[in-house]
Amino acid sequence: MRKATFARLGAIGTVVVLSTGCGFEKSVYDIELNEAEQSAVPFVCDNGRKGFSAAWEVSTKQRWTITAGEHGDTRIEVPGYFRTQLHGGPLDETPFIVNGTSVERGPFQFMGLETLVKDDTGSGTVVQRFVIEGDSLEADRIQGFIDLRTEVMDANFDTPTCHYVVSFTGRRVD
């Protein structure tokens, strides 16, 4: 009798788990970048230089889509101009998809790594990191920052690493 009761409870538990879903799959957020920071992007370099750079030529209002990967990881889809801005080309409408950390707990980070060549004056590496400071990718509201990290060798073979940071807030729409 006990075995039959446990078997029924096990079957009911399986149905409940299957009917409630397997966890996070997708969230869509309307994002607003901090306009004051974006118009004069604050930066700090490891050689002691700090200040404000030129404005980022990206929209202050955007839509980001976050999806679960196949192995407990995440991906974020942001407007393509984050990618094309690095290469100095025309703005691209193709979404920029960046791989992220685990879907299970935050803060959540998504990192894109690019290599660039600047004419004859140097080359370098650019890391774009999108950070969501929260415990869930299904929250009604999120906040975080975009950290653009550059290491560019100039004509004098100087290679400082600099961090540019712009904060954002977001509201879930799906």
Side-chain angles (χ1 to χ4, degrees):
M1 178 103 167
R2 274 186 151 163
K3 288 182 182 180
T5 302
F6 284 124
R8 271 184 283 156
L9 289 176
I12 292 170
T14 301
V15 170
V16 169
V17 168
L18 291 174
S19 68
T20 58
C22 298
F24 173 77
E25 290 182 24
K26 177 180 174 181
S27 290
V28 179
Y29 287 95
D30 280 341
I31 299 294
E32 190 166 329
L33 299 181
N34 182 309
E35 194 170 355
E37 291 172 353
Q38 185 182 338
S39 65
V41 182
F43 72 89
V44 62
C45 302
D46 63 1
N47 65 358
R49 194 168 60 99
K50 60 183 175 179
F52 299 92
S53 72
W56 285 358
E57 294 181 24
V58 297
S59 174
T60 57
K61 296 183 188 301
Q62 309 173 11
R63 181 159 285 180
W64 295 358
T65 302
I66 303 166
T67 55
E70 295 178 16
H71 305 288
D73 59 328
T74 53
R75 291 184 180 87
I76 190 169
E77 182 178 305
V78 296
Y81 42 70
F82 282 106
R83 178 186 53 245
T84 56
Q85 179 183 14
L86 298 177
H87 298 290
L91 293 182
D92 189 351
E93 296 299 321
T94 305
F96 184 32
I97 299 172
V98 184
N99 291 319
T101 54
S102 170
V103 72
E104 297 203 12
R105 85 187 120 181
F108 303 95
Q109 298 185 51
F110 307 86
M111 292 183 47
L113 178 65
E114 302 278 337
T115 301
L116 63 104
V117 176
K118 294 181 75 175
D119 302 325
D120 295 333
T121 61
S123 62
T125 303
V126 177
V127 178
Q128 289 180 317
R129 186 169 63 124
F130 300 81
V131 177
I132 297 174
E133 301 168 324
D135 294 328
S136 173
L137 291 173
E138 297 175 301
D140 290 336
R141 299 214 176 267
I142 59 172
Q143 66 181 30
F145 60 92
I146 302 167
D147 173 18
L148 181 66
R149 193 173 5 155
T150 63
E151 184 177 288
V152 179
M153 182 183 297
D154 64 17
N156 299 322
F157 299 103
D158 187 21
T159 58
T161 298
C162 299
H163 293 265
Y164 304 78
V165 177
V166 172
S167 59
F168 66 82
T169 57
R171 180 183 58 81
R172 186 168 181 196
V173 293
D174 182 25

